[in-house]
């Protein structure tokens, strides 16, 4: 043991062992912080979309499908975004715990701080219109996203109960052809439909429809709402003038 | 060449700065910690002296390489113990062995432990001494390591938190639960001997 010190020192000198440069440790620590901050940022974005979807949920239609309010909430919760939010909070905890002093904070404190920050930032993103932009962009870029939110098992794919959602394919006299998010084509009659702004009846528009199923693939529309976002309060009766 | 006189009166943190300029000062830290760390490794591993020296050498090389990573907000001893603890664990993972706790403390430490754990008077300290290796070996690793640091290495909660990189609240919880498990195993072993006897 007496010689251990000399042995170590000789090894350091003979093998030219040097202390690792400080910048490497700083880079490693900053990387963990950056990853943690990025996770919190994405978590906040997820929260803003959750808030947006809940704020723009069609609360008025739950009586149409004969379910209780509690069940309606259960059916319409944005599970995808809530899962994403939970995932990024967990990731934020993981990354922050790997920072130099992150171990000093309990799981409760780090997760608690992540949740609070997500709510605050998420609120800012929501009021800044970021959530609406995310929904709109995803809906256009990823058809599978629409299927996830409006597809099988979701509220707006229940034609027997008078609820449909999809994309307008072509316009016709007195209506249009709609492809729902399960891939089925519907002939929609719009003679007496009330159309909520900002809906514009053009090919490619994505809409939600309240009405009545008639036969296999026919549907009489009573109300047409935008797929995302709040329906406008200014109602107008559908006219025969289409925007071709 | 650095002498013992150069090492005297200098705090560990001060020596870290000097080592980065002149590696010979590293001898000061090695001499300060080699015995403590030797017995710490012995307590948590039960390895032979030669194997412990090999681990100790790896520890000090690692300490030297990572000097620029030393966080001045914690004690240097906590940082060195952390590296030692991690090195022993990775050594066991490499050899796929299970750490064996070795106890060779004097009776004054035993008496302190008996008092701290509220061990009943009727349980002879001799029984405690004879069973302590077995008891510690039977305990969950997470409880064993905090109890060794608290009662054998006499580290406070903050130091244990820094060594094991766990929140201080968690350290307290682990120590309390560790004591309960220790007593449970001890009482079971005493009962078994009473039934056999």
């Amino acid at each position: 043991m007496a010689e251990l010190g000399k042995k170590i020192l000789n090894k350091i000198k003979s093998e030219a062992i040097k202390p690792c440069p400080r910048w490497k440790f700083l880079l490693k620590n900053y990387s963990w912080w950056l990853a943690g901050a990025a996770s919190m940022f994405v978590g906040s974005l997820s929260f803003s979309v959750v808030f947006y979807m809940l704020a723009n949920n069609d609360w008025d239609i739950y009586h149409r499908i004969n379910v209780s309010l509690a069940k309606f909430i259960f059916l319409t919760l944005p599970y995808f975004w809530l899962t994403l939010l939970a995932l990024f909070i967990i990731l934020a905890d993981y990354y922050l715990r790997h920072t130099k002093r992150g171990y000093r904070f309990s799981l409760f404190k780090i997760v608690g701080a992540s949740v609070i920050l997500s709510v605050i930032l998420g609120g800012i993103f929501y009021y800044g219109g970021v959530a609406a932009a995310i929904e709109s962009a995803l809906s256009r870029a990823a058809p599978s996203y629409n299927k996830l939110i409006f597809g099988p098992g979701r509220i707006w794919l229940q034609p027997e109960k008078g609820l449909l959602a999809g994309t307008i394919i072509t316009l016709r006299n007195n209506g249009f052809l709609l492809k729902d998010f399960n891939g089925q084509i519907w002939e929609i009659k719009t003679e007496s439909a009330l159309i909520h702004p900002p809906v514009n009846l053009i090919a490619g528009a994505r809409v939600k429809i309240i009405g009545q199923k008639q036969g296999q693939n026919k549907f009489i529309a009573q109300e047409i709402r935008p797929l995302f976002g709040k329906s406008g309060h200014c109602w107008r009766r559908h006219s025969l003038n289409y925007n071709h | 060449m650095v002498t013992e006189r150069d090492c005297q009166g200098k705090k560990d943190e001060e020596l870290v700065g000097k080592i980065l300029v002149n590696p010979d000062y590293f001898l000061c830290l090695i001499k300060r910690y080699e015995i403590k760390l030797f017995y710490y490794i012995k307590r948590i591993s039960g390895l032979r002296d030669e194997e412990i020296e090999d681990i100790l050498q790896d520890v000090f090389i690692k300490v030297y390489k990572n000097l620029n990573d030393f966080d001045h907000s914690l004690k240097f001893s906590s940082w060195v113990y952390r590296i030692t603890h991690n090195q022993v664990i990775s050594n066991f993972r490499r050899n796929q062995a299970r750490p064996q706790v070795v106890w060779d403390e004097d009776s004054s430490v035993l008496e302190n432990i008996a008092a701290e754990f509220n061990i009943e008077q009727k349980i002879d300290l001799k029984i405690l001494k004879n069973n302590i290796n077995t008891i510690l070996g039977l305990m969950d690793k997470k409880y064993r390591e905090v109890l060794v640091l608290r009662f054998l290495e006499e580290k406070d909660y903050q130091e244990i938190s820094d060594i094991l990189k766990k929140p201080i609240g968690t350290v307290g919880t682990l120590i309390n639960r560790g004591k309960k498990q220790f007593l449970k195993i001890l009482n079971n072993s005493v009962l078994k001997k009473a039934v056999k006897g």
Side-chain angles (χ1 to χ4, degrees), chain A residues 1-2 4-9 11-13 17-22 25 100-101 103-106, chain B residues 23-24 26-27 30 34 53 56-57 60 64-66 68-69 71 73-74 82 161-162 165-167:
Chain A
M1 271 278 272
L4 180 68
K6 285 184 185 164
K7 202 173 162 185
I8 291 168
L9 219 50
K11 184 172 173 147
I12 287 171
K13 286 177 180 172
I17 297 171
K18 291 195 185 316
C20 288
R22 188 160 170 72
F25 299 114
K100 213 164 198 175
R101 296 172 197 181
Y103 67 87
R104 293 177 184 179
F105 303 102
S106 65
Chain B
D24 289 341
F26 195 44
L27 211 55
I30 295 171
E34 60 182 346
E53 280 200 21
L56 208 47
Q57 191 173 313
F60 281 117
Y64 182 76
K65 282 182 180 173
N66 289 284
N68 280 312
D69 193 31
D71 182 357
S73 73
L74 48 93
R82 183 196 291 173
S161 166
D162 292 332
K165 291 186 94 173
K166 288 180 173 22

Side-chain angles (χ1 to χ4, degrees), chain A residues 166-172 176-180 183-188 202-207:
Chain A
T167 309
I168 297 175
I169 305 171
T170 51
L171 299 175
R172 283 187 169 180
F176 53 82
L177 283 182
L178 179 98
K179 189 177 183 183
D180 71 20
Q184 191 174 341
I185 310 288
W186 294 86
E187 192 183 326
I188 311 292
I202 53 170
R206 288 155 304 156
V207 295

Side-chain angles (χ1 to χ4, degrees), chain B:
Chain B
M1 188 67 192
V2 168
T3 62
E4 243 180 83
R5 212 171 162 184
D6 297 314
C7 303
Q8 278 171 6
K10 288 187 176 59
K11 288 184 182 174
D12 294 341
E13 292 77 15
E14 216 181 312
L15 283 171
V16 168
K18 288 198 173 296
I19 293 164
L20 290 169
V21 176
N22 180 0
D24 289 341
Y25 274 98
F26 195 44
L27 211 55
C28 303
L29 281 178
I30 295 171
K31 285 194 186 304
R32 240 176 234 189
Y33 283 98
E34 60 182 346
I35 307 286
K36 281 185 208 179
L37 295 181
F38 181 89
Y39 282 106
Y40 176 55
I41 296 169
K42 191 172 182 119
R43 280 174 186 144
I44 62 172
S45 68
L47 292 169
R48 291 175 297 125
D49 288 3
E50 300 79 36
E51 288 171 301
I52 294 174
E53 280 200 21
D54 287 340
I55 293 177
L56 208 47
Q57 191 173 313
D58 291 339
V59 165
F60 281 117
I61 297 293
K62 209 164 233 179
V63 165
Y64 182 76
K65 282 182 180 173
N66 289 284
L67 277 176
N68 280 312
D69 193 31
F70 170 57
D71 182 357
H72 289 259
S73 73
L74 48 93
K75 285 185 185 178
F76 183 80
S77 67
S78 303
W79 187 65
V80 163
Y81 265 78
R82 183 196 291 173
I83 292 174
T84 309
H85 174 264
N86 292 342
Q87 192 63 33
V88 171
I89 301 297
S90 67
N91 183 68
F92 277 110
R93 276 194 194 133
R94 260 200 313 271
N95 299 329
Q96 293 180 320
R98 194 165 186 266
Q100 296 285 323
V101 182
V102 168
W103 173 274
D104 59 359
E105 312 303 318
D106 59 37
S107 55
S108 63
V109 177
L110 269 179
E111 280 164 11
N112 288 341
I113 287 175
E116 179 73 40
F117 281 42
N118 296 320
I119 292 171
E120 292 172 18
Q121 295 287 328
K122 57 189 172 187
I123 295 176
D124 199 337
L125 281 180
K126 195 176 172 187
I127 296 171
L128 182 63
K129 188 175 180 178
N130 290 341
N131 287 286
I132 201 157
N133 280 343
T134 311
I135 295 168
L136 288 171
L138 287 171
M139 289 183 73
D140 293 337
K141 174 186 159 279
K142 60 185 176 186
Y143 299 137
R144 184 174 57 239
E145 58 188 15
V146 291
L147 291 187
V148 166
L149 284 168
R150 178 81 187 103
F151 298 107
L152 306 189
E153 299 297 322
E154 295 178 319
K155 297 294 178 192
D156 62 36
Y157 282 37
Q158 183 61 60
E159 287 171 304
I160 297 172
S161 166
D162 292 332
I163 291 165
L164 298 179
K165 291 186 94 173
K166 288 180 173 22
I168 208 166
T170 304
V171 169
T173 304
L174 287 172
I175 288 173
N176 286 335
R177 288 182 187 167
K179 282 187 199 176
K180 283 179 185 161
Q181 192 179 73
F182 183 95
L183 285 172
K184 189 177 175 184
I185 297 170
L186 174 66
N187 290 333
N188 282 346
S189 101
V190 166
L191 196 67
K192 270 184 193 162
K193 285 199 161 102
V195 166
K196 272 185 186 172

